[in-house]
Amino acid sequence: YILSRLAFRNMRSRVPSVHIDQFVHTIRDMIENARDSLLRRSAQLAIGQLSLSKILSPSMLSDAEWKVIKEVLVRDAKAESEVAIMALGLLPAIFPKENTGDSHFSTLTEALYDLHEIRSPEIHFTVGEALSNAAAGWDSKSLNLEFDVDSESPNSNVPEQVLASVADTIIAKCGAPKPSLKRASAIWLLSLVKNCGHLTLMQDRLR
């Protein structure tokens, strides 16, 4: 929390990089190895905040470490952990998005789509919120309450084609023959409209 709020205030330089790196690796270790579910959820919440504030960067961890983080988040997300689901939606903020087929970015969003088998409608509203955050970044209304400092609000750096790709994918899935996917996609679309419906790209698709 302290690191992310310092970053929101453009004061990240007050913390030595070596300390940030140590903290990131501690969080990674907690996500991978913590047996206590509360401790693991706390670490997942932290990695989401570090991603949102851009404290975290892809180069801080190896591909193998990112793979383990994703696997743990997916496992807990399938067990209906809202913290893990939201973390899956915030992690894409740090990865390149010029090409929506980027391995890390696409695997994270695909992991969210794969949660359609969950039966709880409430959980799917969380999945929809996570997809909104991944697709629109700070332009998603669901992130309005996350920026809780007296400073200039950050601009989204997510290219429009990312939101276009996510919106088109969800709209297409609403017509899927599989009932569970169709139901989940309808809820995701509602969330996308709620959080990103003010954006021109979304409005064009709703006409």
Side-chain angles (χ1 to χ4, degrees):
Y1 181 88
I2 294 174
L3 284 176
S4 62
R5 271 52 192 178
L6 283 173
F8 287 161
R9 294 177 182 274
N10 295 315
M11 299 166 64
R12 172 180 169 168
S13 59
R14 295 195 176 188
V15 181
S17 295
V18 64
H19 292 169
I20 293 175
D21 191 63
Q22 288 173 349
F23 180 67
V24 167
H25 280 81
T26 298
I27 293 298
R28 194 273 310 160
D29 182 64
M30 289 167 61
I31 290 174
E32 180 180 358
N33 299 311
R35 295 185 178 181
D36 181 81
S37 60
L38 181 59
L39 185 60
R40 190 169 64 252
R41 284 199 301 272
S42 297
Q44 292 171 354
L45 179 63
I47 204 165
Q49 289 293 313
L50 293 176
S51 301
L52 186 62
S53 60
K54 301 296 177 67
I55 289 284
L56 192 61
S57 68
S59 61
M60 284 183 166
L61 298 171
S62 68
D63 284 345
E65 289 172 317
W66 283 119
K67 182 180 178 181
V68 170
I69 288 173
K70 184 214 160 193
E71 288 173 349
V72 173
L73 290 176
V74 168
R75 182 194 67 203
D76 288 354
K78 288 182 176 179
E80 302 188 11
S81 166
E82 294 188 72
V83 172
I85 292 169
M86 291 302 292
L88 285 171
L90 294 176
L91 274 177
I94 67 171
F95 293 107
K97 304 167 193 68
E98 287 73 15
N99 174 13
T100 54
D102 170 82
S103 59
H104 288 295
F105 183 86
S106 62
T107 54
L108 290 166
T109 51
E110 285 297 328
L112 290 169
Y113 295 138
D114 287 343
L115 298 176
H116 67 269
E117 296 285 1
I118 293 175
R119 294 185 178 183
S120 169
E122 292 79 10
I123 292 297
H124 283 299
F125 278 107
T126 302
V127 176
E129 186 175 335
L131 285 166
S132 299
N133 295 341
W138 285 107
D139 284 339
S140 171
K141 288 183 177 180
S142 64
L143 290 179
N144 286 350
L145 295 178
E146 292 293 334
F147 194 77
D148 51 7
V149 299
D150 294 327
S151 188
E152 185 177 352
S153 298
N155 295 318
S156 175
N157 66 342
V158 182
E160 284 190 343
Q161 69 262 27
V162 175
L163 176 57
S165 175
V166 171
D168 291 343
T169 297
I170 292 175
I171 291 171
K173 290 180 184 295
C174 285
K178 193 172 185 178
S180 62
L181 180 56
K182 181 182 290 187
R183 285 194 298 268
S185 299
I187 296 175
W188 301 342
L189 184 58
L190 285 174
S191 295
L192 200 63
V193 171
K194 175 186 175 183
N195 295 312
C196 306
H198 61 291
L199 300 174
T200 302
L201 190 147
M202 277 300 297
Q203 292 173 2
D204 290 344
R205 281 162 170 71
L206 298 175
R207 288 175 184 155

